[in-house]
């Protein structure tokens, strides 16, 4: 399956969390019961509000957060200070964590989280928001790439639909890494609270990044709606977009006999035909949609029969795959190929759309193919095969240094397939002798497979492996 390296900061809180009960917190059961429906809007006003817990995200410098009594907004008594590490700091890669309560608060009477912030230098904070409670994380909301300056400034994070936040535990979360030069810095946060501002208004909502797209699917395939946001008109007159949890939205399908969609935005294809997935947010129709064009039952690629001992697998559920850095490097600026990989009844399939070329890389470590005789591919062209369509394959060896930028890299010739080998609506199994790939000095450090083509807008791929007979 496709490896995704673009993981948002807030999703790094999986294991290894460091949890600290902040000073001044109360643990009396009566206080907790009273706070379960508290409308207290304060998170940090010179000190932390009662019952607040802090958890450092996994991979952070756990000592990066502390209360600072020397620097504070408007010369008040204290602020929250975060010391971002330099790149490659052995103590951790970034700074950040979540502030939450053991029992929830009723925040339905507010429409924004606000705070004041400044930094020791101009800096971009990876993500800041609320809704991370280390439990269900049902309603996270965030701003990405928040720009800080060296002077105090007030920031506003609007709430997409406050009626959902009647028992909310996640009150504030933040994550920041080194600057573009790899240097660390310090920033301060103060006066963190929820407010009911009369100066913001929701303008629109969106799913799928506001785009109307069409996806070819099959029975049993599940995909998740992404690109969800709410856009607000701010006091300064500018529109601001916030990332919003799918649970803020109400999703619907125009044809549930073809595709259903649940509260988390997970679309499941159940029959042949067409269905349009749309959503509303607080009664507002969201821009963007996903049209599911289902072809019905999916015919899986042929199950490989080569003995596992004779195989080095790059992508196949039939074997154990070698480490792969990516199945779509998205090499700018000329590549247009996008990925919409899917899984049918436990079988993962690579799905390339808007195809012109794409690279698969497995350089950590490279593959020693000196004992292999062939490379195998299964590809499927779902649409009608266009006139002049071709499909090309090239291999790249990174040489002894194993580096993509090394002087000893060598690329093979390009092997091209056209009709009648290429057909649509059927799996095409290609078994290519490695001896056909000329031009490489050796095959001891294979690191890339490059697909390219003409008049072939999309295709599926499965069972990519090297073998010897």
């Amino acid at each position: 399956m496709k490896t995704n390296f673009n993981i948002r900061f807030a999703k790094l809180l999986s294991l290894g969390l460091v949890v600290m009960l902040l000073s001044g917190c109360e643990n009396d059961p009566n206080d907790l019961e009273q706070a379960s429906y508290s409308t207290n809007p304060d998170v940090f006003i010179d000190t932390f509000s009662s019952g607040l817990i802090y958890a450092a995200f996994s991979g952070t410098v756990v000592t990066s957060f502390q209360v600072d009594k020397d620097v504070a907004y408007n010369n008040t008594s204290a602020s929250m200070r975060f010391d971002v590490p330099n790149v490659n700091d052995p103590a951790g890669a970034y700074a950040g964590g979540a502030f939450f309560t053991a029992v929830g608060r009723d925040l339905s009477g507010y429409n924004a989280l606000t705070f004041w912030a400044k930094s020791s230098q101009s800096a971009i904070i990876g993500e800041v928001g609320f809704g991370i409670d280390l439990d269900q994380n049902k309603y996270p909301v965030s701003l990405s790439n928040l720009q800080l300056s060296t002077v105090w400034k007030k920031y506003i994070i609007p709430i997409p639909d406050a009626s959902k936040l009647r028992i909310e535990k996640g009150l504030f979360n933040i994550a920041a890494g080194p600057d573009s030069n790899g240097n660390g810095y310090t920033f301060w946060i103060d006066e963190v609270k929820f407010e009911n501002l009369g100066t913001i208004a929701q303008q629109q909502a969106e799913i799928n990044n506001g785009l109307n797209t069409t996806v070819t699917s099959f029975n049993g395939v599940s995909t998740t709606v992404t690109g969800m946001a709410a856009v607000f008109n701010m006091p300064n007159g500018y529109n601001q977009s916030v990332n919003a949890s799918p649970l803020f939205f109400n999703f619907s399908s125009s044809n549930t006999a073809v595709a259903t969609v649940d509260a988390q935005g997970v679309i499941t294809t159940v029959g042949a035909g067409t269905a349009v997935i749309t959503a509303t947010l607080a009664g507002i129709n969201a821009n963007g949609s996903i049209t599911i064009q289902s072809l019905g039952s999916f015919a899986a690629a042929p199950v490989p029969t080569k003995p596992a001992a004779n195989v080095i697998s790059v992508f196949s559920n039939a074997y154990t795959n070698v480490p792969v850095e990516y199945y779509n490097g998205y090499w700018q600026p000329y590549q247009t190929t996008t990925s919409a990989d899917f899984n049918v009844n436990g079988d993962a399939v690579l799905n390339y759309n808007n195809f012109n070329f794409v690279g698969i890389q497995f350089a950590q470590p490279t593959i020693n193919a000196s004992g292999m005789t062939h490379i195998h591919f299964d590809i499927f062209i779902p649409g009608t095969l266009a006139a002049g369509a071709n499909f090309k394959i090239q291999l790249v060896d990174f040489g002894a240094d194993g580096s993509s930028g090394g002087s000893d890299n060598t690329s093979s010739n390009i092997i091209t397939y056209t009709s009648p080998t290429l057909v649509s609506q059927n799996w095409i199994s290609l078994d290519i002798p490695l001896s056909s790939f000329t031009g490489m000095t050796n095959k001891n450090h294979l690191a890339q497979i490059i697909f390219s083509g003409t008049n072939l807008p999309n295709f599926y791929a499965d069972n990519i492996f090297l073998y010897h007979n």
Side-chain angles (χ1 to χ4, degrees):
M1 299 179 71
K2 183 175 181 286
T3 303
N4 181 5
F5 291 100
N6 297 317
I7 303 174
R8 290 169 54 196
F9 278 120
K11 292 183 179 178
L12 294 174
L13 51 98
S14 52
L15 299 173
L17 289 168
V18 177
V19 181
M20 296 178 284
L21 193 65
L22 293 166
S23 61
C25 299
E26 301 289 341
N27 287 313
D28 184 271
N30 293 326
D31 289 339
L32 291 177
E33 182 178 356
Q34 183 179 4
S36 62
Y37 297 101
S38 169
T39 59
N40 179 9
D42 296 340
V43 181
F44 184 96
I45 308 293
D46 296 332
T47 187
F48 290 95
S49 57
S50 178
L52 208 65
I53 302 167
Y54 172 66
F57 291 156
S58 178
T60 62
V61 177
V62 297
T63 58
S64 63
F65 162 71
Q66 57 187 291
V67 175
D68 192 330
K69 295 186 178 181
D70 295 322
V71 178
Y73 167 69
N74 203 26
N75 296 318
T76 53
S77 59
S79 70
M80 296 190 294
R81 190 179 92 188
F82 295 87
D83 297 316
V84 180
N86 294 323
V87 71
N88 298 324
D89 189 317
Y94 67 110
F99 299 83
F100 60 101
T101 55
V103 289
R105 296 184 187 178
D106 184 354
L107 304 177
S108 60
Y110 310 106
N111 64 1
L113 171 70
T114 68
F115 58 93
W116 289 80
K118 78 166 188 173
S119 178
S120 60
Q121 64 178 52
S122 179
I124 296 177
I125 306 302
E127 185 163 284
V128 59
F130 62 90
I132 301 296
D133 60 14
L134 306 192
D135 184 14
Q136 298 183 55
N137 299 331
K138 293 177 67 175
Y139 298 109
V141 175
S142 66
L143 290 177
S144 299
N145 301 321
L146 184 70
Q147 180 74 55
L148 299 186
S149 70
T150 57
V151 297
W152 287 104
K153 179 181 176 182
K154 187 175 183 178
Y155 296 88
I156 300 171
I157 303 178
I159 300 174
D161 182 358
S163 68
K164 304 279 189 179
L165 306 184
R166 297 192 180 277
I167 310 178
E168 179 57 53
K169 300 176 183 178
L171 302 184
F172 187 68
N173 54 267
I174 195 162
D179 66 18
S180 58
N181 296 317
N183 298 319
Y185 53 93
T186 297
F187 65 93
W188 294 265
I189 304 286
D190 204 353
E191 303 294 305
V192 185
K193 61 183 177 181
F194 290 88
E195 294 189 70
N196 188 8
L197 302 176
T199 53
I200 60 174
Q202 185 170 321
Q203 299 295 298
Q204 61 185 18
E206 63 182 38
I207 64 171
N208 199 33
N209 295 314
L211 303 175
N212 301 312
T213 59
T214 299
V215 176
T216 300
S217 188
F218 299 91
N219 294 352
V221 173
S222 293
T223 187
T224 301
V225 178
T226 58
M228 289 163 287
V231 181
F232 295 82
N233 187 255
M234 305 303 287
N236 59 11
Y238 290 100
N239 286 341
Q240 179 170 282
S241 176
V242 296
N243 307 312
S245 162
L247 291 178
F248 281 108
F249 292 80
N250 292 316
F251 297 97
S252 62
S253 169
S254 66
N255 189 344
T256 56
V258 174
T260 62
V261 57
D262 68 12
Q264 294 279 1
V266 177
I267 305 167
T268 302
T269 303
V270 295
T274 301
V276 182
I277 307 301
T278 56
T280 61
L281 173 61
I284 298 173
N285 292 326
N287 295 324
S289 66
I290 300 174
T291 298
I292 302 296
Q293 289 187 343
S294 171
L295 302 181
S297 298
F298 180 74
V303 178
T305 58
K306 301 296 181 184
N310 297 353
V311 168
I312 300 175
S313 179
V314 174
F315 183 88
S316 178
N317 286 100
Y319 306 107
T320 299
N321 298 322
V322 299
V324 175
E325 291 157 78
Y326 49 75
Y327 292 103
N328 184 348
Y330 202 71
W331 296 332
Q332 298 277 14
Y334 303 112
Q335 181 183 332
T336 61
T337 308
T338 57
S339 291
D341 306 337
F342 57 87
N343 189 299
V344 185
N345 301 320
D347 181 30
V349 180
L350 298 174
N351 179 12
Y352 296 114
N353 296 314
N354 307 308
F355 174 64
N356 62 342
F357 66 89
V358 68
I360 299 173
Q361 181 165 302
F362 36 89
Q364 297 179 356
T366 58
I367 289 176
N368 183 355
S370 59
M372 301 290 109
T373 60
H374 291 75
I375 189 166
H376 176 92
F377 305 91
D378 287 320
I379 65 171
F380 185 101
I381 302 169
T384 301
L385 187 67
N390 61 52
F391 180 72
K392 302 175 182 180
I393 303 170
Q394 185 178 33
L395 302 182
V396 178
D397 187 284
F398 277 2
D401 65 3
S403 171
S404 61
S407 60
D408 55 354
N409 293 3
T410 55
S411 300
S412 76
N413 62 314
I414 297 174
I415 294 180
T416 303
Y417 291 94
T418 60
S419 177
T421 301
L422 294 186
V423 295
S424 64
Q425 310 287 326
N426 281 289
W427 282 101
I428 306 162
S429 294
L430 303 175
D431 288 272
I432 311 171
L434 288 179
S435 59
S436 299
F437 292 96
T438 60
M440 292 186 295
T441 303
N442 59 58
K443 301 177 181 68
N444 297 336
H445 299 278
L446 285 184
Q448 288 179 347
I449 299 170
I450 299 174
F451 298 138
S452 59
T454 304
N455 295 335
L456 192 66
N458 70 299
F459 71 95
Y460 310 145
D462 201 354
N463 299 323
I464 303 171
F465 59 86
L466 300 111
Y467 68 91
H468 68 81
N469 291 316

